[in-house]
């Protein structure tokens, strides 16, 4: 989606601006009663673009995005329709204004804040947030709590509930300190992208290998687990180590394993009959 530099909030008395998105040109005029712009449709009518909120964004994602066998599917047209409907735009103009609606929901052409942030912090629209990845148990709990039972007996992931819980777990702090549900759509989008990124990590070739059954996947898993147990590393640390270093580590492990002392025999708990002054009575059948 290509767009010309513009501000999503036009000052009173400012001239109209034109932006180009996906090859379409849209004309925005300053709002009569607020700084929110009005879009000029092909019919000549103008419609003020209402603010797109945190709740609106997550609710629309819950309706228009879902998981299937191919991964995540996103109905962009349906999402844009919700944005336009919230601004009172006639349904007959939805197709024409869909690119602009997506642009508006994502914050327009808002200029990103510049500057270096401390480790663990991200800029998310108007706010800065300190994030942490969720743990395996937290993710499992949220996934279980986000499943809904369908009439046919299947269980389906409630995406809105899942995303809200993930944000609640991973967002440690917001500056300025505002309730998360007061964020606008642009800040919500940036925050959600950052949280998803920190919780999924970068896709590696090794991840793809492990998902493919076969000898290569088995060997990779065995070597990775062996080094993780021996060194207390994570799989990512093993995979990022130069191949020559991995070879050296494996050679040292094989050497130490080959000369490791045999395990001491397990000591048996003494029985009463083992004591020297014990009287043993043996009972036999006739």
């Amino acid at each position: 989606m290509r767009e010309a530099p513009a501000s999503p909030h036009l000052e009173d008395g400012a001239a109209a601006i034109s932006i180009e998105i996906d090859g379409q040109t849209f004309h925005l005029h300053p709002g009569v009663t607020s700084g929110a712009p009005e879009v000029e449709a092909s019919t000549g009518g103008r419609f003020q673009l209402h603010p797109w909120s945190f709740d609106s964004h997550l609710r629309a994602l819950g309706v228009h995005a879902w998981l299937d066998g191919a991964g995540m599917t996103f109905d962009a047209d349906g999402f844009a329709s919700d944005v336009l409907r919230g601004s009172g735009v006639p349904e007959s103009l939805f197709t024409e204004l869909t690119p602009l609606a997506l642009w508006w929901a994502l914050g327009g052409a808002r200029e990103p804040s510049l500057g270096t942030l401390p480790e663990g912090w991200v800029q998310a629209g108007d706010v800065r947030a300190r994030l942490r990845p969720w743990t395996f148990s937290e993710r499992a709990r949220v996934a279980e709590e986000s499943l809904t039972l369908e009439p046919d007996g299947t269980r389906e992931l409630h995406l809105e509930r899942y995303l809200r819980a993930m944000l609640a777990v991973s967002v440690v702090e917001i500056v300025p300190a505002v309730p998360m549900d007061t964020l606008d759509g642009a800040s919500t989008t940036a925050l959600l992208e950052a949280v998803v990124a920190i919780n999924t990590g970068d896709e590696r070739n090794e991840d793809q290998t492990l998902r493919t059954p076969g000898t290569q996947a088995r060997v990779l898993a065995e070597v990775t687990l062996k080094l993780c147990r021996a060194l207390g590393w994570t799989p990512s640390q093993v995979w990022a180590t130069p191949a020559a270093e991995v070879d050296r580590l494996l050679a040292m492990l094989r050497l130490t394993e080959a000369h490791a002392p045999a395990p001491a025999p397990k000591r048996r708990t003494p029985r009463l009959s083992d004591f020297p002054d014990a009287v043993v009575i043996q009972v036999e059948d006739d």
Side-chain angles (χ1 to χ4, degrees):
M1 183 167 65
R2 188 169 63 87
E3 57 197 43
S7 170
H9 297 282
L10 303 181
E11 299 294 336
D12 292 339
I17 62 172
S18 297
I19 62 172
E20 184 180 335
I21 307 172
D22 292 344
Q24 293 181 244
T25 300
F26 299 92
H27 304 290
L28 297 176
H29 302 264
V32 176
T33 58
S34 70
E38 295 179 349
V39 57
E40 181 180 336
S42 58
T43 58
R46 295 183 184 180
F47 304 93
Q48 190 172 65
L49 298 173
H50 293 179
W52 186 244
S53 68
F54 175 91
D55 285 332
S56 298
H57 191 83
L58 290 182
R59 191 177 301 116
L61 283 177
V63 174
H64 301 294
W66 60 91
L67 291 169
D68 54 25
M72 179 69 73
T73 299
F74 177 59
D75 177 11
D77 292 341
F79 186 95
S81 295
D82 278 6
V83 176
L84 295 170
R85 193 176 293 111
S87 291
V89 176
E91 193 168 338
S92 59
L93 296 174
F94 282 6
T95 300
E96 172 188 337
L97 298 179
T98 284
L100 183 75
L102 296 173
W103 173 84
W104 177 246
L106 299 182
R110 174 180 297 173
E111 294 294 332
S113 300
L114 301 177
T116 303
L117 296 177
E119 185 177 357
W121 288 79
V122 297
Q123 184 74 42
D126 291 335
V127 299
R128 295 182 176 188
R130 181 160 63 92
L131 309 180
R132 73 163 178 87
W134 59 4
T135 65
F136 176 80
S137 61
E138 288 170 336
R139 186 183 65 180
R141 174 180 55 79
V142 168
E144 179 63 26
E145 293 174 350
S146 300
L147 292 174
T148 57
L149 185 63
E150 298 300 308
D152 61 359
T154 61
R155 303 178 77 191
E156 183 175 332
L157 181 70
H158 191 291
L159 186 60
E160 179 185 352
R161 188 182 305 161
Y162 183 86
L163 294 177
R164 285 180 181 273
M166 180 171 62
L167 288 169
V169 169
S170 290
V171 178
V172 179
E173 182 181 359
I174 292 180
V175 177
V178 296
M180 199 182 308
D181 59 6
T182 64
L183 298 179
D184 62 11
S187 301
T188 302
T189 299
L191 184 61
L192 191 56
E193 287 179 352
V195 169
V196 170
I198 199 174
N199 280 326
T200 56
D202 296 329
E203 178 75 9
R204 303 177 61 104
N205 292 332
E206 291 87 352
D207 295 312
Q208 298 176 9
T209 299
L210 292 174
R211 288 196 296 268
T212 305
T215 303
Q216 187 177 4
R218 179 177 54 78
V219 171
L220 176 63
E222 289 175 350
V223 169
T224 302
L225 286 174
K226 187 171 187 176
L227 291 177
C228 286
R229 292 191 186 107
L231 304 173
W233 286 2
T234 64
S236 295
Q237 288 175 295
V238 175
W239 298 338
T241 303
E245 292 300 315
V246 170
D247 291 341
R248 292 187 183 100
L249 289 168
L250 291 174
M252 286 188 284
L253 284 174
R254 284 193 293 268
L255 183 63
T256 55
E257 289 170 354
H259 293 82
K266 293 183 179 180
R267 297 185 60 183
R268 181 172 60 84
T269 302
R271 295 193 294 262
L272 183 61
S273 60
D274 293 330
F275 291 93
D277 57 347
V279 177
V280 180
I281 301 175
Q282 184 173 349
V283 179
E284 297 181 357
D285 293 334
D286 291 336

